[in-house]
Amino acid sequence: FLTEWINRTLKEEHIVVKSLEEDLYDGLVLHHLLENLGSLKLDVDKIALTEKKQRQKLSVILEAVAKCLQVEESQLKWSVESILAKDLLSTLHLLVAIAKHFEPTLALPPNIQVETITIETTSRGLKTSNGVENITENKENIEAQSKEDAFDELFNCAPDKLGAVKKALLQFVDQHVGKLGLNVKDIESQFSDGVILLLLIGQLEGYFLNLRNFFLTPASTMEMV
């Protein structure tokens, strides 16, 4: 699933991934993937041929990922060394995290687990222990989370931050409809007739809305509806 997703995402760049372990360890594909998904401009060379350069490149890439995910280094399930060593488990964790962050609607297969065997060298010889690593979330957990989105959580847990969110949304709207010579100062009143919403959708999706399909200056509730 992840291999197909990467190839689909990077199709226009003519990049084809056949093996997650063999094709991602040097950072080249990860570099293209992050630039494509998140429009991130990473200050690294496109191609790193030596192990030193690859390590430096992965360090910059993974630092950018951690910053996007807002995750502490101690919480990460991958590292520069594990990706460089072609560790499949670390690579899977990294790709799932990138997919969930940049394409939250991507239907990752749920309930994926990997059985692991840890081998440790002791004074008495080799000591092994078995474990289970969760790669994707439990289906029940996903369904429970989907019932309450980020805005629901904001209303419930941080009502004091609503003003800041409202201001950010206002700036976002103003930035896009401002290209049409419009100025939005109040979300409640200026969105109530649907005109700004329609024009915003047109700007974001990059198409022209035929003005005959709606009233640009609605004079009645019926025209607003």
Side-chain angles (χ1 to χ4, degrees), residues 27-35 42 44-46 57 61:
L28 175 67
V29 174
L30 288 171
H31 188 177
H32 281 273
L33 190 63
L34 286 172
E35 285 196 337
L42 302 172
V44 287
D45 296 332
K46 285 286 183 186
K57 181 169 184 166
I61 290 170

Side-chain angles (χ1 to χ4, degrees), residues 119-128:
I119 303 173
E120 184 183 354
T121 305
T122 67
S123 56
R124 295 183 179 181
L126 295 177
K127 177 186 174 184
T128 63

Side-chain angles (χ1 to χ4, degrees), residues 201-216:
I201 292 169
Q203 283 294 300
L204 293 174
E205 293 296 327
Y207 57 75
F208 176 73
L209 285 157
N210 195 322
L211 298 180
R212 287 179 298 178
N213 291 346
F214 67 101
F215 296 91
L216 198 57

Side-chain angles (χ1 to χ4, degrees), residues 189-209:
S189 63
Q190 288 184 269
F191 266 80
S192 62
D193 61 9
V195 175
I196 295 293
L197 185 59
L198 283 170
L199 296 175
L200 176 64
I201 292 169
Q203 283 294 300
L204 293 174
E205 293 296 327
Y207 57 75
F208 176 73
L209 285 157

Side-chain angles (χ1 to χ4, degrees), residues 63-81:
E63 191 177 320
V65 171
K67 192 174 180 180
C68 287
L69 300 179
Q70 296 182 330
V71 177
E72 295 292 329
E73 193 173 337
S74 59
Q75 296 175 293
L76 299 176
K77 295 181 179 180
W78 58 83
S79 66
V80 171
E81 295 305 321

Side-chain angles (χ1 to χ4, degrees), residues 3 12 183 203-204:
T3 303
E12 291 185 7
N183 182 245
Q203 283 294 300
L204 293 174

Side-chain angles (χ1 to χ4, degrees), residues 133-175:
E133 192 91 19
N134 291 319
I135 303 297
T136 60
E137 289 180 292
N138 187 288
K139 192 173 182 180
E140 287 73 26
N141 292 345
I142 296 170
E143 289 173 351
Q145 289 173 7
S146 66
K147 291 175 184 175
E148 191 169 272
D149 63 18
F151 280 97
D152 289 326
E153 191 177 331
L154 191 65
F155 277 101
N156 293 333
C157 305
D160 55 312
K161 294 182 180 177
L162 284 176
V165 174
K166 188 176 171 183
K167 185 179 178 182
L169 288 171
L170 202 59
Q171 289 174 343
F172 168 76
V173 173
D174 211 25
Q175 176 188 345

